[in-house]
Amino acid sequence: MDKIRLGLVGCGGMGTRHLYGLWELVQSPFSNVELCAVCDIRRENAELAAQEAEKLIGIRPEIFTNLDEMARAVPDLTAVDVVTDPSVHHDVVCQALDLGLHVMVEKPMAITVKACRQMIEAAERNNRHLSVAENFRRDPSARLVHYLLQTGAIGLPYMALFHSLGPGNGIFITPWRHIKERGGALLDMAVHFTHMIRYQLGDIAEVYGDVRLVEPVRKKPDSIGDTYTFYQNQFQAMESEVPATAEDTSLAMFRMENGATVNWLVGLSGHGGCGGEVIFGNEGSINGFGTRGGSISMQRRGQEARNQEEILASIDGFSLEPLAEYLFPTGISAGDSAVDWKLIALEYYELAEAILNGRKIEVDGGCGLKDVAALYAIFESARAGRALRMSEVENCEVYAYQAEIDGALSLQ
Ligand SMILES: NC(=O)c1ccc[n+]([C@@H]2O[C@H](COP(=O)([O-])OP(=O)(O)OC[C@H]3O[C@@H](n4cnc5c(N)ncnc54)[C@H](O)[C@@H]3O)[C@@H](O)[C@H]2O)c1
């Protein structure tokens, strides 16, 4: 077998984008995934995805509304790509693993830490790969920051800030992103950020945090611009207002295992905003943790600041993996309109390589759980009124906030 046979489960906005990611991979000399089927509980979404796939890849995948039926009907199905909304990740992923399939699941790995644990146990029980699709770390800018930190380019990191505070009360992509037990906007968006903090600075030791619900009513935006048919259709059908139950604003201090501190201010609410990502070391600083389509810069002690192009020209020993070199030949993704798809192509490629040739999964269940736990540590700290050790959150010893979500979802 030189290709894995894949089913896409969850054919909404990101599911559609995954099809474009697959297309990027299929067009490359690295193609190792064959799309056989699409599945969505809403048949019209699966049909639209099948149409998109046929338009892009030239082969129409089979359409299903039930994962069990798909697994039984499609011969030699190897893996599924789970791109449903987060509140059902654990149900769908555990079912797929118990059916003997390998799984890639979109971030956030799951709706709570307990749900993550169920998924890890199911992967172990069935001896199957479980990969969390975390795209930001695969961007060339993120790889470069990682390399610079690992090689001591700015000395020892001692402090960082991660600020992403955007104003407004618009519905953020989908109504479910404002409902606590469906996966609020902070979980959806900021789990990328806890992941990037951990990717660049290592594990977190302790968290103090606060969260607020600043916008109790979310309103349909005036437009969404020219985008995929799925998003256009979804926008047409969107209600004009959504009562929000998920907090939209957060502040935290992370103390890392290596002693560095990270100052965090993340939200989408209210009036005014601020943004900035900086890592300070005792020999210099880096602007940016790396992100999808982003660029970074670095200033070392006594030197002028250098942009990403200048950094790349001045260092030896840095390289991307072969598929990433092929997709990003300049080593820069900023301004590349296909960056979203290319990072997804890298995720698919890695999963298939793990299945076919034993490649290590970068963001496995354990890593995905730590990202989710780091985000919920902010909420749990706010609820407990004290700083928390990460181990207390990862082991579900402090769990009052998430217990309400588990209760609403009848998650045991
Ligand atoms: N990595 C990124 O940059 C990125 C960007 C957007 C979304 N996401 C993630 O992708 C996931 C999906 O988000 P979205 O914006 O596409 O949501 P969405 O609501 O647009 O799509 C979810 C789809 O899943 C389907 N679904 C729900 N339960 C199902 C089930 N049990 N079986 C099959 N299908 C089911 C829904 O009908 C819908 O079509 C989320 O985890 C989200 O956080 C990641």
Side-chain angles (χ1 to χ4, degrees), residues 117 131 135 389:
R117 289 204 171 280
S131 169
N135 47 1
R389 290 188 312 283

PDB file of all heavy atoms in Angstrom, residues 117 131 135 389:
ATOM      1  N   ARG A 117      -9.037  12.458  27.494  1.00  0.00           N
ATOM      2  CA  ARG A 117      -8.565  11.196  28.109  1.00  0.00           C
ATOM      3  C   ARG A 117      -9.274   9.995  27.479  1.00  0.00           C
ATOM      4  O   ARG A 117      -8.653   8.966  27.218  1.00  0.00           O
ATOM      5  CB  ARG A 117      -8.811  11.206  29.626  1.00  0.00           C
ATOM      6  CG  ARG A 117      -7.901  12.158  30.348  1.00  0.00           C
ATOM      7  CD  ARG A 117      -7.680  11.817  31.810  1.00  0.00           C
ATOM      8  NE  ARG A 117      -6.623  12.679  32.311  1.00  0.00           N
ATOM      9  CZ  ARG A 117      -5.341  12.483  32.134  1.00  0.00           C
ATOM     10  NH1 ARG A 117      -4.912  11.409  31.498  1.00  0.00           N
ATOM     11  NH2 ARG A 117      -4.442  13.342  32.581  1.00  0.00           N
ATOM     12  N   SER A 131      -3.940  11.635  15.794  1.00  0.00           N
ATOM     13  CA  SER A 131      -3.171  12.847  15.492  1.00  0.00           C
ATOM     14  C   SER A 131      -4.087  14.058  15.618  1.00  0.00           C
ATOM     15  O   SER A 131      -5.230  14.022  15.153  1.00  0.00           O
ATOM     16  CB  SER A 131      -2.650  12.746  14.055  1.00  0.00           C
ATOM     17  OG  SER A 131      -2.135  13.977  13.634  1.00  0.00           O
ATOM     18  N   ASN A 135      -2.364  23.231  12.893  1.00  0.00           N
ATOM     19  CA  ASN A 135      -1.691  23.746  11.697  1.00  0.00           C
ATOM     20  C   ASN A 135      -0.638  24.820  11.980  1.00  0.00           C
ATOM     21  O   ASN A 135       0.351  24.922  11.249  1.00  0.00           O
ATOM     22  CB  ASN A 135      -2.716  24.246  10.668  1.00  0.00           C
ATOM     23  CG  ASN A 135      -3.790  25.134  11.271  1.00  0.00           C
ATOM     24  OD1 ASN A 135      -3.783  25.410  12.459  1.00  0.00           O
ATOM     25  ND2 ASN A 135      -4.728  25.559  10.440  1.00  0.00           N
ATOM     26  N   ARG A 389      -1.409  24.486  39.570  1.00  0.00           N
ATOM     27  CA  ARG A 389      -0.356  23.720  38.901  1.00  0.00           C
ATOM     28  C   ARG A 389      -0.989  23.031  37.696  1.00  0.00           C
ATOM     29  O   ARG A 389      -2.123  22.543  37.776  1.00  0.00           O
ATOM     30  CB  ARG A 389       0.243  22.673  39.850  1.00  0.00           C
ATOM     31  CG  ARG A 389       1.074  23.275  40.980  1.00  0.00           C
ATOM     32  CD  ARG A 389       1.810  22.198  41.763  1.00  0.00           C
ATOM     33  NE  ARG A 389       0.961  21.072  42.147  1.00  0.00           N
ATOM     34  CZ  ARG A 389       0.085  21.051  43.139  1.00  0.00           C
ATOM     35  NH1 ARG A 389      -0.049  22.098  43.893  1.00  0.00           N
ATOM     36  NH2 ARG A 389      -0.649  19.986  43.417  1.00  0.00           N
TER      37      ARG A 389
END
